[in-house]
Amino acid sequence: MSHLTIGNRLEKNVTAQSMYDRSNSLTSGHRACQGCGEALAARCILDAAYIATDGKVAVINATGCLEVFSCVYPENSWQIPWLHSLFGNAPAVATGVAAAFKRQGKENVRVIAQGGDGALADIGMGCLSGMFDRNDDVLCVCYDNQAYMNTGVQRSGATPAFSRTATTLPTGDYLGNDVQTGKNLPKIAMAHGIPYVATASVSNIHDLEKKVAKAIHLKGARYLHVHVPCPLGWGYPTSETIKVARLAVQCGLFPLFEAERGKVIKSTPINAPLKVEEYLKGQRRFAHLFGKNASSDALITLQNIADDNIREYALVGDPNE
Amino acid sequence: MLYQLEGSHAIARTVALCRPGVVCAYPISPQTHILEGLEELIRGKKLENCEYLNVESEMGALSVAIGGEAAGVRSYTATSSQGLLYMIEAVYNASGLELPIVMTLGNRALGAPINIWNDHSDAMSARDAGWIMFFAETNQEAADLHILAFKVAEKVHCPVIVNVDGFILTHAYDRVDIPSQDKVDDFLPPYAPKASLDVNHPVAIGTMVPPEYFMEVRHLAHRKQEDSLAVIECTAHAFEKKFGRNSGGLLRRYGSPNADTVIVAMGSVAGTIKDAVDELNQEGGQFEELSIICYRPFPAEALRNSLKNAKRIIVVEKSLAVGIGGILSREVELTMKGCDVDVITVVAGLGGRNITKSMLKECFNKKSHEKITFLGLRNDIIGKQYVPINGDCC
């Protein structure tokens, strides 16, 4: 392939998105908001899966933004076999599809279940855990935008601490989501001992595509947790989705790693970690932690989470040391 | 070939003859023996090319079946009572997606109070879910209805619930003819899906449908069910021709033709009612029993024709709509609108309460009935427990 002249197309290892004949699994014309991290991640992931499988991929989608903006009859943005059933059952439906493909001798057609953090960390956790437990031949992708965005930004089990949502509005002494620190779905997945668990960020497309290309061919249950900022729900300019996603990685709040059979095997280093404030301050959902009612305790709590991640996943320095 | 079998095992063996490719299992009494039976048949290679999945909930069970069917493979599961309620969102989804799943419902009461015994409350909770619903009278019919269910489901692209009275049929041993594989294969060809997840012909299944199209989707679903009535009748005739016995269809009549009093019921209680009707007719009465085998789509026209000469219709039903009364009786009443006939509601057998022949005979012989009768109600308990609520607002 000839080297083109702009952006990442100069790199030797081009991404699927820079190919002029990219598959466009999720094609243009859909109704996602401007700057939607989920739409971008979904296209990147499914195009990568499409290329890695030579087009042999089927997708089961949970209810949520991704389903609603991609297909309102008679319009449809999906260029691949795609099925939406319910909010909480996408992993189980995918199990059925994978079982049926096995019966038909079509195991080369790879099955992806996908949904948001509400669909997988909350309402569908039973079905997700069951799929992991049986080690069904499904890759489950969670697009984590850390709240119920489709219904208007309500708190989910994956909403981070001190985050403003429509159901955790900071008022007086109440600093927003003070319940726990967000369910850690990658760790829950790892606790099932499944073949592959990885986290990825929409700010690092190369890493994301590599993980998809690896995961899609592995047998058994696999889980990919992708951090996808939401300009509407988080309150930042629509042009800054990638920047916000990158800051989350660089401060250590969203560690990028891969795990096999419950053990972390590789993490992506962040050589000079930023303070969490760098990530938080550009987002309206954390605005109450700054300014005249600033809470240093809350910021310390969040910094501690980032520091713990940096230690636990060895994000600074040589992770193999 | 004739076997002495538990109802659940007769069903399991018959379902296996229908060659499902995906079977999802989650235990709940009283259907559990069916899925245990299928597990044994699959492990023992009596049913080959079938994926048997132990799932984590009833929601998982029906969802896996939805996935299997959407990918073009015949899929089956079974449940009861609370399990049906737990999966109810997927129940509506399966019919909306036009996936011809067949599910056995081992009929059981709904709690609270928790009760594992038989009635039809669970079935009634899914009566508007867009599934075709059959009710079995005997173990033989329970087994046969599954062959018919797959055949009808796949012809009209609509899922089917086969209702089988919990314990009364599921756990009772009876003589059942299990047909040969060849005959079933001949009757039920391999599943040809309407649209499935296919990389060569990608389609999006289950998209959002806005107000401009939604009414039409629902209207078409209703029309499809109405059209299915003829398919169900015709399939039952074909079944009789092939297997040499009458099973399934819309409804079945027994006793004195054109009797003044017709007893309408569903499921296994028909057996006891028939015995009561026989004795009453021997004693000089004029009674007929009518079983509704196909409850959804509701066979209104066939029912109206069968009941047109009745002076009195007694509907014996194993369910209660709290706040209004009978469910089946209300539907029969609507069906008979404009006819000069009394429709009497007899609620019986809730939560496994025995329904005896003598109770039924006494009830049918009564000249006048309350608006709603609770058969065998223990008035000693009601007398102590019922405290009228003061009609004041505060």
PDB file of all heavy atoms in Angstrom, chain B residues 13-38:
ATOM      1  N   ARG B  13     -38.456 -36.923  25.206  1.00  0.00           N
ATOM      2  CA  ARG B  13     -38.170 -37.828  24.087  1.00  0.00           C
ATOM      3  C   ARG B  13     -38.785 -37.336  22.792  1.00  0.00           C
ATOM      4  O   ARG B  13     -38.210 -37.489  21.710  1.00  0.00           O
ATOM      5  CB  ARG B  13     -38.652 -39.235  24.437  1.00  0.00           C
ATOM      6  CG  ARG B  13     -37.761 -39.846  25.528  1.00  0.00           C
ATOM      7  CD  ARG B  13     -38.278 -41.153  26.012  1.00  0.00           C
ATOM      8  NE  ARG B  13     -38.131 -42.210  25.021  1.00  0.00           N
ATOM      9  CZ  ARG B  13     -38.140 -43.501  25.319  1.00  0.00           C
ATOM     10  NH1 ARG B  13     -38.247 -43.888  26.581  1.00  0.00           N
ATOM     11  NH2 ARG B  13     -38.029 -44.397  24.378  1.00  0.00           N
ATOM     12  N   THR B  14     -39.970 -36.727  22.912  1.00  0.00           N
ATOM     13  CA  THR B  14     -40.620 -36.220  21.702  1.00  0.00           C
ATOM     14  C   THR B  14     -39.897 -34.986  21.166  1.00  0.00           C
ATOM     15  O   THR B  14     -39.724 -34.837  19.952  1.00  0.00           O
ATOM     16  CB  THR B  14     -42.096 -35.901  21.988  1.00  0.00           C
ATOM     17  OG1 THR B  14     -42.679 -37.039  22.617  1.00  0.00           O
ATOM     18  CG2 THR B  14     -42.844 -35.580  20.717  1.00  0.00           C
ATOM     19  N   VAL B  15     -39.479 -34.105  22.096  1.00  0.00           N
ATOM     20  CA  VAL B  15     -38.723 -32.915  21.659  1.00  0.00           C
ATOM     21  C   VAL B  15     -37.439 -33.370  20.956  1.00  0.00           C
ATOM     22  O   VAL B  15     -37.066 -32.820  19.914  1.00  0.00           O
ATOM     23  CB  VAL B  15     -38.404 -31.993  22.858  1.00  0.00           C
ATOM     24  CG1 VAL B  15     -37.369 -30.939  22.481  1.00  0.00           C
ATOM     25  CG2 VAL B  15     -39.681 -31.312  23.358  1.00  0.00           C
ATOM     26  N   ALA B  16     -36.789 -34.389  21.508  1.00  0.00           N
ATOM     27  CA  ALA B  16     -35.554 -34.897  20.889  1.00  0.00           C
ATOM     28  C   ALA B  16     -35.821 -35.376  19.461  1.00  0.00           C
ATOM     29  O   ALA B  16     -34.994 -35.169  18.565  1.00  0.00           O
ATOM     30  CB  ALA B  16     -34.961 -36.019  21.726  1.00  0.00           C
ATOM     31  N   LEU B  17     -36.978 -35.991  19.237  1.00  0.00           N
ATOM     32  CA  LEU B  17     -37.325 -36.445  17.881  1.00  0.00           C
ATOM     33  C   LEU B  17     -37.484 -35.276  16.912  1.00  0.00           C
ATOM     34  O   LEU B  17     -37.377 -35.448  15.699  1.00  0.00           O
ATOM     35  CB  LEU B  17     -38.625 -37.269  17.910  1.00  0.00           C
ATOM     36  CG  LEU B  17     -38.569 -38.608  18.636  1.00  0.00           C
ATOM     37  CD1 LEU B  17     -39.962 -39.228  18.694  1.00  0.00           C
ATOM     38  CD2 LEU B  17     -37.584 -39.551  17.946  1.00  0.00           C
ATOM     39  N   CYS B  18     -37.745 -34.096  17.469  1.00  0.00           N
ATOM     40  CA  CYS B  18     -37.884 -32.901  16.618  1.00  0.00           C
ATOM     41  C   CYS B  18     -36.529 -32.300  16.268  1.00  0.00           C
ATOM     42  O   CYS B  18     -36.470 -31.281  15.571  1.00  0.00           O
ATOM     43  CB  CYS B  18     -38.769 -31.863  17.314  1.00  0.00           C
ATOM     44  SG  CYS B  18     -40.459 -32.445  17.578  1.00  0.00           S
ATOM     45  N   ARG B  19     -35.449 -32.890  16.755  1.00  0.00           N
ATOM     46  CA  ARG B  19     -34.076 -32.502  16.427  1.00  0.00           C
ATOM     47  C   ARG B  19     -33.766 -31.017  16.653  1.00  0.00           C
ATOM     48  O   ARG B  19     -33.327 -30.327  15.714  1.00  0.00           O
ATOM     49  CB  ARG B  19     -33.755 -32.854  14.972  1.00  0.00           C
ATOM     50  CG  ARG B  19     -33.870 -34.324  14.627  1.00  0.00           C
ATOM     51  CD  ARG B  19     -33.348 -34.527  13.219  1.00  0.00           C
ATOM     52  NE  ARG B  19     -33.623 -35.839  12.682  1.00  0.00           N
ATOM     53  CZ  ARG B  19     -32.825 -36.905  12.855  1.00  0.00           C
ATOM     54  NH1 ARG B  19     -31.735 -36.793  13.585  1.00  0.00           N
ATOM     55  NH2 ARG B  19     -33.129 -38.064  12.297  1.00  0.00           N
ATOM     56  N   PRO B  20     -33.950 -30.505  17.871  1.00  0.00           N
ATOM     57  CA  PRO B  20     -33.501 -29.133  18.109  1.00  0.00           C
ATOM     58  C   PRO B  20     -31.977 -29.080  18.075  1.00  0.00           C
ATOM     59  O   PRO B  20     -31.315 -30.074  18.403  1.00  0.00           O
ATOM     60  CB  PRO B  20     -34.019 -28.830  19.520  1.00  0.00           C
ATOM     61  CG  PRO B  20     -34.122 -30.167  20.187  1.00  0.00           C
ATOM     62  CD  PRO B  20     -34.464 -31.158  19.092  1.00  0.00           C
ATOM     63  N   GLY B  21     -31.422 -27.938  17.671  1.00  0.00           N
ATOM     64  CA  GLY B  21     -29.966 -27.771  17.634  1.00  0.00           C
ATOM     65  C   GLY B  21     -29.442 -27.015  18.840  1.00  0.00           C
ATOM     66  O   GLY B  21     -28.255 -27.038  19.122  1.00  0.00           O
ATOM     67  N   VAL B  22     -30.343 -26.305  19.524  1.00  0.00           N
ATOM     68  CA  VAL B  22     -29.960 -25.571  20.735  1.00  0.00           C
ATOM     69  C   VAL B  22     -31.037 -25.842  21.792  1.00  0.00           C
ATOM     70  O   VAL B  22     -32.225 -25.632  21.542  1.00  0.00           O
ATOM     71  CB  VAL B  22     -29.847 -24.054  20.474  1.00  0.00           C
ATOM     72  CG1 VAL B  22     -29.672 -23.291  21.786  1.00  0.00           C
ATOM     73  CG2 VAL B  22     -28.684 -23.735  19.537  1.00  0.00           C
ATOM     74  N   VAL B  23     -30.595 -26.339  22.961  1.00  0.00           N
ATOM     75  CA  VAL B  23     -31.497 -26.549  24.098  1.00  0.00           C
ATOM     76  C   VAL B  23     -30.903 -25.819  25.297  1.00  0.00           C
ATOM     77  O   VAL B  23     -29.733 -26.004  25.621  1.00  0.00           O
ATOM     78  CB  VAL B  23     -31.681 -28.049  24.416  1.00  0.00           C
ATOM     79  CG1 VAL B  23     -32.420 -28.237  25.731  1.00  0.00           C
ATOM     80  CG2 VAL B  23     -32.433 -28.749  23.285  1.00  0.00           C
ATOM     81  N   CYS B  24     -31.704 -24.950  25.916  1.00  0.00           N
ATOM     82  CA  CYS B  24     -31.208 -24.163  27.051  1.00  0.00           C
ATOM     83  C   CYS B  24     -31.896 -24.634  28.319  1.00  0.00           C
ATOM     84  O   CYS B  24     -33.120 -24.805  28.332  1.00  0.00           O
ATOM     85  CB  CYS B  24     -31.523 -22.696  26.872  1.00  0.00           C
ATOM     86  SG  CYS B  24     -31.312 -22.128  25.200  1.00  0.00           S
ATOM     87  N   ALA B  25     -31.105 -24.825  29.374  1.00  0.00           N
ATOM     88  CA  ALA B  25     -31.650 -25.430  30.587  1.00  0.00           C
ATOM     89  C   ALA B  25     -31.426 -24.553  31.799  1.00  0.00           C
ATOM     90  O   ALA B  25     -30.304 -24.128  32.074  1.00  0.00           O
ATOM     91  CB  ALA B  25     -31.000 -26.789  30.810  1.00  0.00           C
ATOM     92  N   TYR B  26     -32.498 -24.297  32.508  1.00  0.00           N
ATOM     93  CA  TYR B  26     -32.409 -23.673  33.821  1.00  0.00           C
ATOM     94  C   TYR B  26     -33.504 -24.307  34.669  1.00  0.00           C
ATOM     95  O   TYR B  26     -34.651 -24.390  34.233  1.00  0.00           O
ATOM     96  CB  TYR B  26     -32.606 -22.154  33.734  1.00  0.00           C
ATOM     97  CG  TYR B  26     -32.291 -21.478  35.040  1.00  0.00           C
ATOM     98  CD1 TYR B  26     -30.971 -21.252  35.422  1.00  0.00           C
ATOM     99  CD2 TYR B  26     -33.309 -21.106  35.919  1.00  0.00           C
ATOM    100  CE1 TYR B  26     -30.669 -20.656  36.633  1.00  0.00           C
ATOM    101  CE2 TYR B  26     -33.001 -20.508  37.136  1.00  0.00           C
ATOM    102  CZ  TYR B  26     -31.689 -20.283  37.487  1.00  0.00           C
ATOM    103  OH  TYR B  26     -31.390 -19.705  38.684  1.00  0.00           O
ATOM    104  N   PRO B  27     -33.150 -24.778  35.879  1.00  0.00           N
ATOM    105  CA  PRO B  27     -34.135 -25.559  36.631  1.00  0.00           C
ATOM    106  C   PRO B  27     -35.221 -24.720  37.291  1.00  0.00           C
ATOM    107  O   PRO B  27     -34.936 -23.655  37.828  1.00  0.00           O
ATOM    108  CB  PRO B  27     -33.271 -26.237  37.704  1.00  0.00           C
ATOM    109  CG  PRO B  27     -32.100 -25.328  37.896  1.00  0.00           C
ATOM    110  CD  PRO B  27     -31.853 -24.677  36.570  1.00  0.00           C
ATOM    111  N   ILE B  28     -36.431 -25.181  37.202  1.00  0.00           N
ATOM    112  CA  ILE B  28     -37.518 -24.687  38.057  1.00  0.00           C
ATOM    113  C   ILE B  28     -38.592 -25.768  38.066  1.00  0.00           C
ATOM    114  O   ILE B  28     -38.945 -26.315  37.019  1.00  0.00           O
ATOM    115  CB  ILE B  28     -38.083 -23.323  37.582  1.00  0.00           C
ATOM    116  CG1 ILE B  28     -39.158 -22.834  38.572  1.00  0.00           C
ATOM    117  CG2 ILE B  28     -38.633 -23.374  36.186  1.00  0.00           C
ATOM    118  CD1 ILE B  28     -39.591 -21.388  38.377  1.00  0.00           C
ATOM    119  N   SER B  29     -39.103 -26.056  39.235  1.00  0.00           N
ATOM    120  CA  SER B  29     -40.198 -27.031  39.333  1.00  0.00           C
ATOM    121  C   SER B  29     -41.448 -26.394  38.763  1.00  0.00           C
ATOM    122  O   SER B  29     -41.661 -25.209  38.942  1.00  0.00           O
ATOM    123  CB  SER B  29     -40.462 -27.404  40.797  1.00  0.00           C
ATOM    124  OG  SER B  29     -39.322 -27.993  41.337  1.00  0.00           O
ATOM    125  N   PRO B  30     -42.293 -27.182  38.109  1.00  0.00           N
ATOM    126  CA  PRO B  30     -42.206 -28.629  37.877  1.00  0.00           C
ATOM    127  C   PRO B  30     -41.718 -29.027  36.478  1.00  0.00           C
ATOM    128  O   PRO B  30     -41.878 -30.176  36.102  1.00  0.00           O
ATOM    129  CB  PRO B  30     -43.665 -29.055  38.066  1.00  0.00           C
ATOM    130  CG  PRO B  30     -44.466 -27.852  37.641  1.00  0.00           C
ATOM    131  CD  PRO B  30     -43.621 -26.644  37.867  1.00  0.00           C
ATOM    132  N   GLN B  31     -41.045 -28.128  35.740  1.00  0.00           N
ATOM    133  CA  GLN B  31     -40.621 -28.526  34.393  1.00  0.00           C
ATOM    134  C   GLN B  31     -39.270 -29.222  34.361  1.00  0.00           C
ATOM    135  O   GLN B  31     -38.855 -29.741  33.328  1.00  0.00           O
ATOM    136  CB  GLN B  31     -40.616 -27.331  33.434  1.00  0.00           C
ATOM    137  CG  GLN B  31     -39.598 -26.215  33.747  1.00  0.00           C
ATOM    138  CD  GLN B  31     -38.149 -26.507  33.436  1.00  0.00           C
ATOM    139  OE1 GLN B  31     -37.855 -27.328  32.583  1.00  0.00           O
ATOM    140  NE2 GLN B  31     -37.247 -25.871  34.157  1.00  0.00           N
ATOM    141  N   THR B  32     -38.516 -29.189  35.465  1.00  0.00           N
ATOM    142  CA  THR B  32     -37.098 -29.565  35.445  1.00  0.00           C
ATOM    143  C   THR B  32     -36.825 -30.937  34.821  1.00  0.00           C
ATOM    144  O   THR B  32     -35.836 -31.112  34.115  1.00  0.00           O
ATOM    145  CB  THR B  32     -36.538 -29.524  36.879  1.00  0.00           C
ATOM    146  OG1 THR B  32     -36.927 -28.273  37.460  1.00  0.00           O
ATOM    147  CG2 THR B  32     -35.040 -29.627  36.900  1.00  0.00           C
ATOM    148  N   HIS B  33     -37.696 -31.907  35.071  1.00  0.00           N
ATOM    149  CA  HIS B  33     -37.438 -33.260  34.549  1.00  0.00           C
ATOM    150  C   HIS B  33     -37.371 -33.286  33.018  1.00  0.00           C
ATOM    151  O   HIS B  33     -36.735 -34.160  32.442  1.00  0.00           O
ATOM    152  CB  HIS B  33     -38.517 -34.237  35.026  1.00  0.00           C
ATOM    153  CG  HIS B  33     -38.417 -34.532  36.492  1.00  0.00           C
ATOM    154  ND1 HIS B  33     -39.245 -35.428  37.133  1.00  0.00           N
ATOM    155  CD2 HIS B  33     -37.585 -34.051  37.442  1.00  0.00           C
ATOM    156  CE1 HIS B  33     -38.931 -35.485  38.413  1.00  0.00           C
ATOM    157  NE2 HIS B  33     -37.928 -34.650  38.632  1.00  0.00           N
ATOM    158  N   ILE B  34     -38.033 -32.336  32.388  1.00  0.00           N
ATOM    159  CA  ILE B  34     -38.006 -32.306  30.913  1.00  0.00           C
ATOM    160  C   ILE B  34     -36.575 -32.034  30.445  1.00  0.00           C
ATOM    161  O   ILE B  34     -36.027 -32.742  29.593  1.00  0.00           O
ATOM    162  CB  ILE B  34     -38.959 -31.219  30.362  1.00  0.00           C
ATOM    163  CG1 ILE B  34     -40.397 -31.479  30.809  1.00  0.00           C
ATOM    164  CG2 ILE B  34     -38.869 -31.158  28.839  1.00  0.00           C
ATOM    165  CD1 ILE B  34     -41.360 -30.335  30.490  1.00  0.00           C
ATOM    166  N   LEU B  35     -35.966 -30.983  31.031  1.00  0.00           N
ATOM    167  CA  LEU B  35     -34.619 -30.603  30.596  1.00  0.00           C
ATOM    168  C   LEU B  35     -33.575 -31.612  31.070  1.00  0.00           C
ATOM    169  O   LEU B  35     -32.568 -31.833  30.393  1.00  0.00           O
ATOM    170  CB  LEU B  35     -34.304 -29.189  31.080  1.00  0.00           C
ATOM    171  CG  LEU B  35     -35.154 -28.125  30.352  1.00  0.00           C
ATOM    172  CD1 LEU B  35     -35.037 -26.771  31.016  1.00  0.00           C
ATOM    173  CD2 LEU B  35     -34.759 -28.023  28.882  1.00  0.00           C
ATOM    174  N   GLU B  36     -33.829 -32.248  32.224  1.00  0.00           N
ATOM    175  CA  GLU B  36     -32.944 -33.346  32.650  1.00  0.00           C
ATOM    176  C   GLU B  36     -33.033 -34.497  31.658  1.00  0.00           C
ATOM    177  O   GLU B  36     -32.021 -35.097  31.287  1.00  0.00           O
ATOM    178  CB  GLU B  36     -33.352 -33.842  34.040  1.00  0.00           C
ATOM    179  CG  GLU B  36     -32.987 -32.901  35.167  1.00  0.00           C
ATOM    180  CD  GLU B  36     -33.535 -33.357  36.524  1.00  0.00           C
ATOM    181  OE1 GLU B  36     -34.165 -34.447  36.599  1.00  0.00           O
ATOM    182  OE2 GLU B  36     -33.351 -32.616  37.492  1.00  0.00           O
ATOM    183  N   GLY B  37     -34.246 -34.772  31.223  1.00  0.00           N
ATOM    184  CA  GLY B  37     -34.449 -35.856  30.257  1.00  0.00           C
ATOM    185  C   GLY B  37     -33.715 -35.578  28.953  1.00  0.00           C
ATOM    186  O   GLY B  37     -33.078 -36.468  28.375  1.00  0.00           O
ATOM    187  N   LEU B  38     -33.770 -34.335  28.511  1.00  0.00           N
ATOM    188  CA  LEU B  38     -33.090 -33.984  27.259  1.00  0.00           C
ATOM    189  C   LEU B  38     -31.575 -34.081  27.417  1.00  0.00           C
ATOM    190  O   LEU B  38     -30.869 -34.503  26.496  1.00  0.00           O
ATOM    191  CB  LEU B  38     -33.493 -32.569  26.824  1.00  0.00           C
ATOM    192  CG  LEU B  38     -34.760 -32.539  25.961  1.00  0.00           C
ATOM    193  CD1 LEU B  38     -35.360 -31.150  25.928  1.00  0.00           C
ATOM    194  CD2 LEU B  38     -34.470 -33.024  24.542  1.00  0.00           C
TER     195      LEU B  38
END
